[in-house]
């Protein structure tokens, strides 16, 4: 096996459901040991991409390869190399933790001796050991996600596909979960992870921001804000609603004003606009700072450009 | 093999952990045997019929005696006047009244037309029809005897238009229960597996399972095996209930019967899985299961309507009904003590194998077509 | 019906809810002022949903009392229900009814008269930017619009207190910002907003937040206060510091 070659290679993928285009002209490569994040809202096409990689859905056009096997022509080969965790919890609620693990070990034909060793290891790192005999239905949200992950890891796949594994999971469980994903990547697995949480982009090695089936931009998460082509002001005001109304009336045209709790974010373009904003707020007891854009800010502006294109 | 076993084991856990469904799967067929068995059986025996005999002659007494000779009708007593008829119906004292008018004997002996009237409580249509049929049959026999006794010189003194809707032999539970068993078994077994795949499609577990290198046949066979246990249990309960409660004779071997029954159960389970493989939701699957089994089996299996008296298109269609062959086998083993049914066996084996193959082929291992 | 505004929109004293021997809500004291945007955070299974259900009059507390818009829920659950709006994370929309029909239906459920339904339906659709889509089915719209419609349905009867249970799951950042603008508008219009979320950046948008862990309130204050007192840079940090693993 040549480890320099990508674990997942997607080229010019295209997929439509009737008239709805789910994925358009998508190309990406994931290397072993890499966490690749698909970041975007519901309906962006993340799930479709993941199902294509998992050989669950055929692309209408383009090519998808997992560990060198084409998903269209060799789906069974692909399935031997992947672990897939769907967005919806899809283990058997009436089976215990141990029985669910056992079931997937058998489906992948993991030898018994191996199975016992792996089960112990997975129990340890997912901290599900004390709950072996508990039915899956009775686990908490975070524990369910960890069990689902453990089940997909039973056959030590080279490629892990995780569809919104942390949606609806509280921040603490999310942090734990991401720690596990980092460990897996460190051991050489390639991970394709989707998430609607922009802040989780920072936990990936590389990300693609997706919207309406298209990749808005891709790259290392810290490079993403470089695509933000505007300027951003943060305004901390005593009376935020009043400051907002004032900006909307006397501020320059074409700016975006969003409230974030006790402050406002204003996206603008030119130094002239900035002067207007400052003079407009002169009577408010407002502090005005220039702040660096976040990934979410970048996403929003790219989204606007994408839809106006 | 290992994957198939894994699926079978998992399926087994589903079955034993869902206590309510399991209880239903066991209790429902038993309840149906009792309900339908008794309902159908009751129609065939011990119907109370009152007699209003205005003739008070030996001939009228002979008619009453003939009428109550079988188990079908019991003499509910003599009525004195027409006024009592309505009262008796209202109080459920009898389901029908035989009215023998004055001059009956005289009419018979003078070879005139003799009139006999049957009043039937039409509120209970099924019973009404049964009583009507039966009394007509009795009268037909009398006619025949009278004509014969007269040496053929006599024209039939009693005119009748008897039409028997079902069960022309006026047979008892012996005949009903095997057919009933076939209907109940196919309905329950198809229902059992019809949701086995759709449930996983709905809960999303199918999506997870399909990303593993599992083959369609492993899923299908893995799901059939554990349900064979439930189906076998149901078959045993239904047939034992027929034997113990309804006194159906057992002229043949229980073991042979068990073997044929397992084959029949397998056909039903395979049909259920086929339905499950091609439908998306549990609700559609269950509707399809009920529509696809209950009515066709009742109408076309020979359970109630004799196949020989059907129009030819229906006769042809009845060859596709598994219950047809199973009923033939059941009646053969239980009533006549036969053991070997090569034709039925061959057809049923083809059906089981064919349905399983079809289910495997229609099972989709991609989500696009789910 | 006009009534003096109570001092607290939501007030609880020793609020406790037990299921068998499991205590889902344990001796919770909350005081939320009118027009506040109150963030109600916590781990999965910490008791957030149970608390909201008690406050909406759907569950009877095992101990303690809660007042919603000044009314004790133990004796006035029905009146409370008329003053609150509730939007769940699984937007309870009818996918086979058009936007307009959904609004009409919910207006009817909340007991509005026909002219009120027309008037409020139009106003809400206008405010939420849904007017152009009144004849469309929710399934034809992006998630952000469905979410706005769900919000619209829950504010038709002009509730004094709005409970939002993870209202922004799965929508794009632009829709999320639009949604928060609407929340601010509602609060400026006089409504109290009680919102749960797993997005910690959204926690920063709230006036005050509480963090719940195992049925108890373990942190309460404005995001700035909480960050200062826990020496944290973000609400995510605060959360990780106060919630026990």
């Amino acid at each position: 096996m040549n480890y320099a070659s990508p674990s997942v290679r997607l080229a010019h993928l295209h997929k439509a459901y009737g008239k709805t285009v789910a994925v358009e002209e998508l190309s990406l490569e994931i290397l072993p040991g890499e966490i690749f994040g698909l970041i975007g809202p519901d309906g962006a096409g993340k799930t479709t991409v993941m199902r294509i990689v998992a050989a669950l859905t055929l692309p209408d056009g383009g090519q998808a390869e997992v560990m060198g096997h084409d998903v269209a022509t060799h789906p069974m080969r692909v399935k031997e190399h992947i672990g897939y965790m769907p967005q919806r919890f899809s283990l058997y609620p009436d089976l215990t933790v141990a029985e669910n693990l056992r079931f997937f070990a058998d489906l992948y034909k993991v030898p018994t001796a191996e199975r016992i060793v792996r089960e112990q290891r997975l129990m340890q790192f997912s901290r599900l050991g004390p709950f072996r005999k508990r039915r899956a239905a009775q686990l908490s949200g975070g524990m369910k996600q960890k069990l689902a992950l453990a089940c997909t890891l039973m056959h030590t796949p080279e490629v892990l596909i995780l569809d919104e594994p942390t949606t609806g999971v509280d921040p603490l469980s999310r942090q734990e979960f991401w720690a596990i994903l980092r460990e897996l990547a460190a051991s050489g697995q390639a991970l394709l992870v989707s998430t609607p949480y922009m802040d989780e982009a920072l936990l990936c090695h590389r990300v693609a921001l997706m919207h309406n089936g298209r990749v808005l931009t891709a790259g290392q998460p810290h490079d993403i804000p470089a695509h933000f082509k505007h300027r951003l002001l943060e305004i901390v005001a005593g009376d935020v609603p009043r400051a907002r109304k004032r900006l909307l009336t006397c501020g320059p045209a074409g700016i975006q004003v969003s409230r974030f709790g006790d402050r406002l974010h204003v996206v603008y373009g030119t130094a002239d606009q900035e002067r207007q904003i400052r003079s407009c707020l002169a009577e408010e007891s407002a502090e005005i700072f220039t702040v660096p854009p976040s990934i979410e800010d970048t996403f929003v502006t790219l989204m606007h450009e994408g839809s106006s294109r | 093999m290992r994957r198939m076993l894994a699926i079978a084991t998992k399926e087994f856990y589903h079955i034993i952990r869902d206590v309510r469904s399991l209880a239903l799967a066991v209790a429902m067929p038993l309840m149906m045997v009792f309900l339908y068995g008794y309902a159908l059986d009751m129609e065939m025996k011990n119907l109370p019929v009152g007699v209003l005999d205005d003739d008070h002659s030996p001939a009228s007494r002979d008619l009453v005696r003939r009428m109550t000779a079988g188990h079908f009708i019991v003499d509910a007593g003599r009525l004195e006047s027409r006024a009592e008829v309505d009262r008796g119906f209202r109080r459920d004292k009898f389901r029908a009244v035989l009215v023998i008018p004055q001059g009956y004997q005289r009419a018979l002996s003078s070879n005139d037309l003799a009139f006999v009237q049957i009043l039937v409580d039409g509120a209970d249509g099924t019973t009404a029809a049964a009583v009507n049929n039966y009394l007509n049959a009795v009268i037909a026999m009398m006619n025949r005897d009278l004509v014969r006794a007269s040496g053929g010189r006599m024209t039939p003194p009693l005119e009748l238009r008897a039409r028997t809707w079902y069960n022309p032999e006026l047979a008892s539970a012996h005949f009903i229960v095997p057919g009933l068993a076939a209907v109940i078994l196919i309905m329950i077994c198809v229902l059992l597996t019809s949701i086995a795949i759709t449930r996983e499609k709905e809960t999303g577990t199918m999506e997870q399972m399909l990303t593993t290198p599992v083959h369609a046949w492993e899923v299908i066979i893995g799901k059939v095996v554990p349900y064979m246990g439930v189906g076998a249990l149901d078959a045993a309960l239904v047939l034992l209930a027929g034997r113990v409660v309804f006194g159906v004779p057992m002229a043949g071997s229980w073991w042979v019967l068990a073997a044929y029954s397992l084959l029949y159960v397998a056909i039903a389970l395979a049909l259920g899985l086929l339905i499950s493989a091609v439908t998306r939701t549990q609700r559609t699957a269950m509707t399809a299961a009920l529509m696809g089994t209950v009515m066709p089996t009742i109408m076309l299996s020979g359970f109630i309507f004799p196949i020989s008296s059907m129009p030819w298109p229906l006769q042809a269609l009845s060859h596709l009904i598994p219950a047809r062959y199973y009923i033939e086998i059941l009646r053969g083993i239980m009533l006549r003590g036969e053991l070997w049914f090569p034709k039925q066996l061959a057809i049923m084996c083809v059906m089981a194998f064919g349905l399983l193959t079809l289910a495997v082929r229609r099972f989709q291992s991609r989500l696009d077509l789910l | 019906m006009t009534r003096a505004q109570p001092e607290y929109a939501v007030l609880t004293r020793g609020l406790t809810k037990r299921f068998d021997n499991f205590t889902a809500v344990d001796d919770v004291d909350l005081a939320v002022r009118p027009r506040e945007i109150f963030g109600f955070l916590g781990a999965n299974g910490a008791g957030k949903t149970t608390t909201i259900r008690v406050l909406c009059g759907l569950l009877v507390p095992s101990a303690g009392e809660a007042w919603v818009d000044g009314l004790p829920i133990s004796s006035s659950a029905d009146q409370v229900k008329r003053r609150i709006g509730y939007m769940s994370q699984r937007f309870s929309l009818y996918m086979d009814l058009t936007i307009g029909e959904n609004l009409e239906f919910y207006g009817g459920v909340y007991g509005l008269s026909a002219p009120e339904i027309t008037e409020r339906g139009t106003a809400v659709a206008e405010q939420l930017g849904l007017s152009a889509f009144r004849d469309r089915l929710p399934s034809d719209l992006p998630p952000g619009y469905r979410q706005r419609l769900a919000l619209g349905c829950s504010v038709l009867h002009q509730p004094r207190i709005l409970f939002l249970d993870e209202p922004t799951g799965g929508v794009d950042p632009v829709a999320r910002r639009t949604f928060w603008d609407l929340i601010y508008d509602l609060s400026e219009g006089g409504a109290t907003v009680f919102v749960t979320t797993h997005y910690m950046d959204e926690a920063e948008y709230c006036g005050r937040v509480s963090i719940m862990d195992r049925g108890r309130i373990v942190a309460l204050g404005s995001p700035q206060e909480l960050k200062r007192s826990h020496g944290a840079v973000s609400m995510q940090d605060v959360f990780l510091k106060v919630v026990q693993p």
Side-chain angles (χ1 to χ4, degrees):
Chain A
M1 185 103 250
N2 175 7
Y3 277 96
S5 62
S7 306
V8 176
R9 206 175 63 77
L10 307 179
H12 313 293
L13 275 193
H14 183 85
K15 174 81 185 177
Y17 295 101
K19 279 184 190 163
T20 318
V21 176
V23 176
E24 206 180 326
E25 194 52 32
L26 183 136
S27 301
L28 60 86
E29 287 185 352
I30 308 174
L31 299 171
E34 189 176 36
I35 303 180
F36 194 101
L38 291 178
I39 320 283
D42 287 1
K46 306 187 302 276
T47 298
T48 306
V49 174
M50 304 205 133
R51 285 184 173 171
I52 290 173
V53 178
L56 284 171
T57 293
L58 279 177
D60 297 335
Q63 230 196 350
E65 278 178 14
V66 175
M67 303 306 289
H69 304 291
D70 191 298
V71 295
T73 52
H74 296 96
M76 283 300 178
R77 293 265 175 75
V78 168
K79 287 175 186 190
E80 280 163 22
H81 294 287
I82 59 161
Y84 171 69
M85 190 173 146
Q87 189 173 351
R88 215 157 32 132
F89 177 70
S90 47
L91 298 179
Y92 299 95
D94 54 339
L95 264 54
T96 63
V97 168
E99 285 162 357
N100 268 299
L101 278 172
R102 171 79 196 266
F103 177 64
F104 284 97
D106 285 342
L107 286 190
Y108 286 109
K109 297 193 174 173
V110 178
T112 309
E114 190 110 335
R115 192 195 86 225
I116 294 166
V117 175
R118 283 188 203 165
E119 191 186 307
Q120 266 171 355
R121 212 193 60 213
L122 288 170
M123 288 289 184
Q124 207 164 25
F125 99 139
S126 63
R127 293 200 263 147
L128 284 169
F131 308 104
R132 281 191 83 242
K133 295 236 158 98
R134 191 181 284 196
R135 304 251 174 108
Q138 274 130 34
L139 297 176
S140 76
M143 286 200 280
K144 277 182 187 163
Q145 293 306 86
K146 284 191 283 186
L147 173 60
L149 180 64
C151 286
T152 64
L153 292 174
M154 206 58 202
H155 61 300
T156 51
E158 285 103 329
V159 177
L160 256 183
I161 304 157
L162 310 172
D163 195 357
E164 297 201 9
T166 55
T167 293
V169 174
D170 67 65
L172 185 69
S173 308
R174 243 154 66 196
Q175 193 196 35
E176 262 183 23
F177 199 87
W178 274 97
I180 296 175
L181 298 191
R182 302 291 286 207
E183 257 178 72
L184 294 172
S187 73
Q189 282 172 311
L191 280 78
L192 178 60
V193 185
S194 70
T195 175
Y197 297 98
M198 299 284 149
D199 53 346
E200 288 188 349
L202 295 170
L203 302 168
C204 304
H205 296 117
R206 278 193 304 148
V207 295
L209 302 191
M210 280 191 80
H211 189 244
N212 286 343
R214 282 201 320 265
V215 172
L216 297 174
T217 183
Q220 294 188 12
H222 293 286
D223 296 339
I224 296 287
H227 295 271
F228 186 79
K229 298 286 187 246
H230 311 269
R231 296 185 221 184
L232 189 62
L233 282 182
E234 185 172 274
I235 296 159
V236 184
D239 188 339
V240 183
R242 201 175 65 204
R244 175 161 164 255
K245 275 186 202 122
R246 192 174 282 255
L247 266 180
L248 292 177
T249 47
C250 76
I255 60 166
Q256 290 169 39
V257 183
S258 317
R259 178 174 167 184
F260 294 92
D262 63 344
R263 57 202 67 201
L264 293 172
H265 275 196
V266 182
V267 178
Y268 65 99
T270 62
D272 198 38
Q273 282 180 325
E274 186 178 338
R275 264 193 304 280
Q276 285 183 51
I277 291 166
R278 286 182 186 274
S279 67
C280 170
L281 292 176
E283 285 168 36
E284 293 284 330
S285 57
E287 298 170 71
I288 301 175
F289 314 91
T290 314
V291 288
S294 65
I295 289 185
E296 183 166 318
D297 291 319
T298 314
F299 192 103
V300 170
T301 57
L302 288 172
M303 239 180 90
H304 282 306
E305 283 166 23
S307 54
S308 60
R309 206 191 312 171
Chain B
M1 192 64 190
R2 174 147 168 221
R3 291 191 192 120
M4 194 212 86
L5 273 180
I7 291 171
T9 315
K10 168 190 85 76
E11 227 40 60
F12 175 72
Y13 287 139
H14 291 326
I15 293 172
I16 56 165
R17 291 196 180 152
D18 189 358
V19 181
R20 255 187 296 176
S21 299
L22 183 59
L24 199 66
V26 173
M28 200 157 77
L30 266 185
M31 251 169 52
M32 288 172 66
V33 175
F34 285 124
L35 279 175
Y36 289 99
Y38 273 121
L40 288 169
D41 197 34
M42 284 314 250
E43 277 169 21
M44 302 315 148
K45 79 182 179 206
N46 298 337
L47 281 170
V49 173
V51 176
L52 179 58
D53 183 359
D54 288 336
D55 198 43
H56 301 288
S57 64
S60 68
R61 280 193 292 277
D62 179 50
L63 177 61
V64 174
R65 202 168 42 246
R66 279 167 180 268
M67 187 185 77
T68 52
H71 288 295
F72 187 62
I73 273 172
V74 289
D75 191 342
R78 296 290 173 280
L79 280 68
E80 295 304 323
S81 70
R82 286 252 168 179
E84 285 178 55
V85 173
D86 189 47
R87 222 181 307 143
F89 275 141
R90 286 177 189 280
R91 292 186 189 162
D92 266 342
K93 279 175 78 177
F94 38 72
R95 301 293 185 83
V97 176
L98 175 67
V99 183
I100 308 171
Q102 215 172 352
Y104 169 74
Q105 184 172 5
R106 200 173 28 180
L108 276 186
S109 48
S110 62
N111 199 10
D112 261 350
L113 261 184
F115 291 98
V116 179
Q117 188 180 27
I118 300 165
L119 301 171
V120 186
D121 179 1
D124 178 0
T126 332
T127 312
V131 174
N132 196 11
N133 285 341
Y134 185 80
L135 291 182
N136 271 326
V138 170
I139 288 164
M141 275 199 307
M142 276 199 60
N143 256 342
R144 197 182 58 208
D145 291 351
L146 286 167
V147 172
R148 195 178 296 150
S150 71
R153 285 188 313 274
M154 206 175 178
T155 50
L158 298 161
E159 195 196 83
L160 57 97
R161 285 186 193 147
R163 209 168 85 215
T164 310
W165 288 3
Y166 53 82
N167 194 13
E169 293 92 347
L170 288 180
S172 62
H174 300 186
F175 218 70
I176 295 295
V177 169
L180 193 57
V183 175
I184 294 172
L185 277 181
I186 199 158
M187 185 186 110
I188 298 289
C189 292
V190 173
L191 268 182
L192 279 178
T193 44
S194 68
I195 57 166
I197 295 173
T198 42
R199 188 179 49 214
E200 293 209 42
K201 288 181 195 168
E202 280 186 13
T203 55
T205 48
M206 189 51 75
E207 186 177 354
Q208 179 84 69
M209 206 200 300
L210 289 182
T211 58
T212 70
V214 72
H215 292 277
W217 71 267
E218 292 166 328
V219 176
I220 298 290
I221 305 293
K223 280 181 181 280
V224 165
V225 170
Y227 282 107
M228 284 294 279
V230 184
L233 182 64
D234 281 338
L237 285 173
V238 168
L239 293 172
L240 279 174
R243 174 85 190 87
V244 175
V245 183
F246 297 103
V248 178
M250 184 57 197
S253 148
W254 280 108
W255 294 112
V256 174
L257 181 58
Y260 284 114
S261 300
L262 274 183
L263 179 58
Y264 182 63
V265 164
I267 292 175
L269 295 175
L271 178 61
L273 280 173
L274 176 61
I275 292 173
S276 207
V278 299
T279 49
R280 282 165 198 254
T281 64
Q282 294 188 59
R283 202 199 294 188
T284 324
M286 287 176 81
T287 313
L290 285 173
M291 301 264 286
T293 57
V294 179
M295 281 317 277
T297 304
I298 290 179
M299 309 296 282
L300 297 173
S301 67
F303 160 40
I304 289 176
F305 307 99
I307 294 172
S308 56
S309 59
M310 290 176 192
W312 71 264
L314 291 185
Q315 283 203 29
L317 215 56
S318 77
H319 288 287
L320 297 174
I321 306 294
R324 172 191 174 145
Y325 307 100
Y326 184 56
I327 290 175
E328 285 169 6
I329 291 171
L330 272 181
R331 285 178 181 162
I333 294 178
M334 296 186 87
L335 305 181
R336 296 192 295 278
E338 292 167 42
L339 298 176
W340 182 231
F341 302 87
K343 185 187 113 195
Q344 286 87 345
L345 183 64
I347 295 173
M348 285 171 73
C349 282
V350 170
M351 283 181 163
F353 187 75
L355 285 168
L356 276 177
T357 315
L358 208 55
V360 169
R361 299 192 61 170
R362 294 305 303 271
F363 180 83
Q364 298 296 345
S365 52
R366 289 196 203 275
L367 288 172
D368 302 81
L369 307 153
L370 277 188
Chain C
M1 185 171 61
T2 47
R3 228 165 31 86
Q5 182 123 310
E7 189 177 357
Y8 295 105
V10 175
L11 182 68
T12 73
R13 284 287 168 259
L15 191 68
T16 302
K17 178 66 189 175
R18 279 183 287 268
F19 297 103
D20 296 327
N21 45 19
F22 168 68
T23 307
V25 179
D26 191 2
D27 197 17
V28 163
D29 292 336
L30 284 175
V32 181
R33 296 210 179 255
R35 303 176 62 170
E36 226 183 315
I37 296 176
F38 190 80
F40 199 54
L41 316 180
N44 295 107
K48 300 190 301 283
T49 303
T50 307
T51 308
I52 289 185
R53 286 189 178 152
V54 170
L55 294 177
C56 292
L58 300 173
L59 289 174
V60 178
S62 313
E65 179 61 290
W67 293 263
V68 174
D69 200 27
L71 296 166
I73 48 154
S74 55
S75 54
S76 322
D78 282 344
Q79 279 162 282
V80 165
K81 284 182 189 171
R82 254 173 260 158
R83 289 149 197 262
I84 58 166
Y86 175 72
M87 172 184 163
S88 73
Q89 44 191 328
R90 302 183 59 189
F91 319 141
S92 322
L93 300 174
Y94 293 91
M95 288 301 182
D96 51 350
L97 298 186
T98 64
I99 309 297
E101 287 162 349
N102 266 292
L103 286 170
E104 277 162 34
F105 169 74
Y106 277 101
V109 167
Y110 282 120
L112 302 188
S113 66
E116 277 175 322
I117 291 177
T118 316
E119 186 213 315
R120 288 291 301 153
T122 314
V124 165
E126 188 65 37
Q127 187 185 9
L128 302 189
L130 294 169
S131 303
F133 310 108
R134 283 190 73 109
D135 297 327
R136 300 268 291 274
L137 291 175
S139 49
D140 296 339
L141 298 177
Y145 284 87
R146 291 208 286 273
Q147 172 209 39
R148 270 191 250 170
L149 173 60
L151 178 68
C153 291
S154 62
V155 298
L156 273 176
H157 59 302
Q158 293 175 293
R160 321 260 303 224
I161 296 141
L162 191 55
F163 291 95
L164 308 173
D165 195 1
E166 287 187 44
T168 54
V171 308
D172 66 66
V174 174
R176 207 147 67 93
R177 289 182 179 188
T178 314
F179 191 80
W180 272 94
D181 285 342
L182 292 169
I183 293 179
Y184 289 127
D185 288 345
L186 288 167
S187 136
E188 284 162 30
T192 309
V193 181
F194 204 91
V195 57
T196 75
T197 179
H198 282 318
Y199 289 94
M200 286 304 117
D201 55 342
E202 286 187 356
E204 319 239 6
Y205 306 167
C206 301
R208 279 197 308 152
V209 298
S210 70
I211 300 178
M212 213 174 173
D213 187 25
R214 286 164 224 206
R216 294 177 154 273
I217 301 287
V218 292
L220 179 68
S222 74
Q224 291 68 32
E225 284 164 18
L226 288 177
K227 281 187 275 188
R228 205 178 313 126
S229 61
H230 289 90
V233 294
S234 64
M235 280 306 294
Q236 168 102 5
D237 272 352
V238 175
F239 191 98
L240 296 177
K241 282 187 173 159
V242 299
V243 172
Q244 303 293 313

